[in-house]
Amino acid sequence: MEGDDDGSGAYQAPLAHSGNETWAPSGVAYITEGPWAGSLVAANLRGEQLLRVVLSEDGTKVEQVVPFLKGEWGCIRNVSAG
């Protein structure tokens, strides 16, 4: 399934998707401290990047997806808060 809607109402749309680009997320960390607190950071295999996913205060909406290190480290398999 691709996109935001299957027309039947049986499909729940994702909070964010990559559009025509493939991210292939492989690891994710929820950040609890510092300037990125409340964000998710996702490692990407195919996308060869880290994505910072900025969530709404209640965590139910994606406000922004920001790529970092695109193409600099190759396939990134895991990420952790530190």
Side-chain angles (χ1 to χ4, degrees), residues 6 14 20-21 29 32 43 58 61 63 65 68 70 78:
D6 69 355
N20 294 328
E21 183 180 348
T32 60
D58 65 1
K61 293 185 174 92
E63 294 184 351
V65 177
F68 289 91
K70 186 166 181 73
N78 207 355

Side-chain angles (χ1 to χ4, degrees), residues 1 7 19 22 28 43 52 55 59-60 64-66 71-73 75 78:
M1 173 83 48
T22 300
V28 68
R52 177 183 178 207
L55 301 173
T60 63
Q64 189 176 21
V65 177
V66 183
E72 292 183 32
W73 290 78
C75 297
N78 207 355

Side-chain angles (χ1 to χ4, degrees), residues 9-60:
Y11 172 72
Q12 183 174 348
L15 295 178
H17 61 78
S18 63
N20 294 328
E21 183 180 348
T22 300
W23 292 336
S26 56
V28 68
Y30 181 73
I31 309 302
T32 60
E33 301 182 295
W36 287 13
S39 295
L40 297 171
V41 176
N44 288 189
L45 292 170
R46 176 111 167 115
E48 297 186 352
Q49 65 190 343
L50 291 177
L51 292 177
R52 177 183 178 207
V53 180
V54 181
L55 301 173
S56 62
E57 192 169 317
D58 65 1
T60 63

